Amino acid sequence: MTSPKSPDRLAGGLARREVLLGGLVLGLATGAGARARVAKAGEGATLNAFVSIAPGGEVVIVTPGAEMGQGVANGMPKIVAEELDADWANVKVTLSGYAPDYLSPVNKRQRSANSDGITSYYDALRKVGATARAMLVAAAAQRWSIEPAKITTREGMLLHPDGRTMLRYGDVAAEAAALPVPGTVALKDPSAFRLIGKDFPRKDIAAKVMGSAGFGMDLDLPGLLYAAIVHVPVAGARLLGFNADAATAMPGVHKVVQVDNAVGVIADSYWQAQKAADTIELDVDTVPLMDGDRVRETILAALDAPGEGLLPFPVGFTDGKFDMGASSEEIEAGLAASDATFEAVYEVPYLAHATMEPLCATAKVENGACEIWAPTQAADAIPPDIEQATGIPAASVKVNRTFLGGGFGRKNERDFLVESVKLAAAMPGRPVMMVWSRQEDTRHDYYRPAFAARIRAGLAEDGAIAAMHGRIAGQPLMTTAPFRRPGIADFGMVGELVSSTYPIALRKAEAVEIEAPLRTGYWRSVSASQNGFFFESAIDELAAMQKRDPLEYRRALSIADPRSLAALDLLAEKSGWGKEMKPGRGMGCALTSGWNARCAQAIEVEVTDTTLEVKRIVCTFDCGQMIDPDNVVAQIEGGIVFGLSAALFGKITVKEGVVEQSSFADYPVVLLRSAPAIEVHLIESGAPLGGVGETGVPAVAPALTGAIFAATGKRVRKLPIVDAGFEVAL
Amino acid sequence: MTISLKVNGRERTVDVAPDTPLLWVLRDRLKLKGTKFGCGVGVCGSCTVHVDGMAVRSCSVAVSDVGDMAVTTIEGLAEGPEGTPGAIQQAWIEEQVPQCGYCQPGMIMAVAAMLETTPNPTDADIDDQITNVCRCGTYPRLRRAIHRAAKAKGAQA
């Protein structure tokens, strides 16, 4: 793995020399490209925007994804290497900046979000690898004056049919780069895969344990300055002015700059900048102060009296059309005709992302252009945002990406990138590295909103769900196009509220949006982070209402879905479901089906008086085809810990307009000692590729509250669990 | 103010304000970027280094308080030739611990200090002594890697 240590190394992910040798670009979307410049034989060459081959045969592959821990700096290049027949041990991976060549042909974007990195690039990356291989084969065929079809490839070698003559990829790379790009290429039969689906050490891990992996703050550039920033602390308030007299006089300080609703200090070192920033007095206008309790009251009131603001939400998408589900009349009739009905209100709080690496970005502005180096999940969205915010034309914005010290959705936002460019604009020609303090990071997040939802359901005699109506209230995540369609509720709010995990005859989902001044955004698993809890809790309560075992009930509901059944059956086996438990112990379960995966979890707890201990989490997981199975396990383990932190303790509160939390000290997360034993069992179902990164999160809260119910008879309907009178050791 | 430090076996001199946290001297002056800034208030442990063999959170130690004590960072941890992972780092690779990797240098430094005083830690020892935050949730692998590293180091001794 190459660390982004120098600007050369960051230039589109390729070292300067390799860039100069090549020049040919193979558009992902079009598969077409111009001829490469001819280089001398044996010198290596860039075959396309993703693949270059060094003279010695080392294959350098660019990942189009943002590496935030989910493993796309391994999985994506591996797909290319598979079809290229590269020697994986001899593959070096580099990170990408933004380039049109790296847009996913599926969603026309380059960003790492929505757990779709692998699914949205899989076909394209295979084609990239196969195309490069075909060009190398064609070059060898010319060299040997034989038919290309007679040549085989293996681990970076071209093999002559005589069984003795061989060429390394590097030997013919320059000739290959000069050949026309084939329009169509044959892909491998998956049964011939040597890399995909098999585990090798991740390419980024060695650098990460040696301390040499380059994150956002690890860049060093000539003339680098540092910046700290303080934002208006009151949600919704505007900055009227500020007093920076003390800051300006402090050692090392170059400039104090207002950036919209914040003030930045640029200094010779980060510490000088931060110390100076701490002395700045902000003059803030008077606004109605946001109070968390009042927001909660508003949300709960909106559930009962939505008034005009009721927004429908599709319960399905078939044949390119939204299925808007049942009408109100149909739902009411369905509920009235049911054998038994159920109704409950559930709540979740605001949540912060709390990535380990606080927000940071480096920018240099010069001659009406800018260059950015940042740990960002976004890519193509950055230049237009910079243009809109600063007037620097999008075409003059160059984006380089470093490793991300966690992302979880926060680093898909561009606020901090815009800030860094505006700060750098105050020091033309000098790169400026802006670093947010942990307090700024915690208090100026794009939060997962607080929500309340009422779930109503009607059961048929056999326990089948005849009707379900879900209504959710809270701040939406997205309010504007292109993320919203007129008259339709926000997917990030309502998605999976009335889930399609199980068949339900009549389904209806709707939302009431409230206004509050906190910024909201995508948080690992997005709508499923709350709706997995709401929906699966309701399923659990429906089971309890019928005095049925919660796993058996889910199994009965899943009877038409072999993947769900397999996940639940394996879960029962691996968790020892139904075993005798001593008093105070209980086990709960949940099943979620987002991202074309199936994730079943069983959680065992022990409750002694009011002390809750999570003993063990067992997960069975089916995401269909896998690229790196061990990394799938790691992602699910991590997703479970992420979901557990939120379920147990996660809560952002606002008092008098100010977010009360400021670091891991008051926004606690699970630590090593509070992490239970976690077992993940993968299921090879043969299903197509599904998403992984977010998929482990949603089942945790409902399985955990189900376990608490099993242990105590107490149903927790409002997160976090510590607010329900349980003490949890940190 | 000119301050002399012993970092990874080398004498270093920096001109910084005496209250500058050791973290920022290591990162921005000595360009040892392996030590990470996570919270700045000594809670998360991303900035863990050794000072005279003890694990300390370098964001919360003023550089002027270090004196002549020996500072070791992740860059100085490897026992073998430069670039070769030490026993703990090797265990991390074998268990494929890191995801985003940001907390791992601090985590490894905390574990290295623990293994000096507690060469065969029990799970309870680990729970007591390793309090660094990992937001990716690498804890199951981390625990396995700690036991693996302890075993490997024991075999070396």
Side-chain angles (χ1 to χ4, degrees), chain B residues 32-62:
Chain B
L32 294 166
K33 305 285 190 179
T35 305
K36 302 303 181 202
F37 167 53
C39 70
V41 290
V43 175
C44 78
S46 295
C47 63
T48 305
V49 300
H50 296 176
V51 176
D52 267 0
M54 297 268 290
V56 303
R57 296 186 171 182
S58 63
C59 73
S60 303
V61 177

Side-chain angles (χ1 to χ4, degrees), chain A residues 100 167 236 663 701:
Chain A
L167 283 165
S663 80

Side-chain angles (χ1 to χ4, degrees), chain A residues 475-542:
Chain A
Q475 262 191 280
L477 276 68
M478 290 295 154
T479 53
T480 53
F483 304 100
R484 291 294 294 272
R485 299 199 186 195
I488 302 272
D490 178 18
F491 186 88
M493 179 170 169
V494 198
E496 293 295 300
L497 177 61
V498 180
S499 173
S500 52
T501 299
Y502 315 109
I504 298 171
L506 295 168
R507 298 195 295 149
K508 182 173 181 59
E510 60 199 6
V512 195
E513 297 181 357
I514 68 143
E515 283 183 19
L518 283 190
R519 299 189 299 190
T520 60
Y522 297 125
W523 186 94
R524 192 175 188 176
S525 80
V526 194
S527 63
S529 72
Q530 72 270 6
N531 293 332
F533 172 60
F534 299 159
F535 177 78
E536 274 294 290
S537 290
I539 296 296
D540 221 65
E541 297 209 51
L542 288 172

Side-chain angles (χ1 to χ4, degrees), chain A residues 63 185 198 211 285 287 338 363 376 401 557 569 573 582 679:
Chain A
T63 178
V185 284
K198 296 175 178 63
D285 67 348
V287 290
S338 292
T376 166
R401 297 193 295 192
L557 293 174
D569 287 347
E573 178 198 327
K582 59 181 186 181
E679 290 170 35

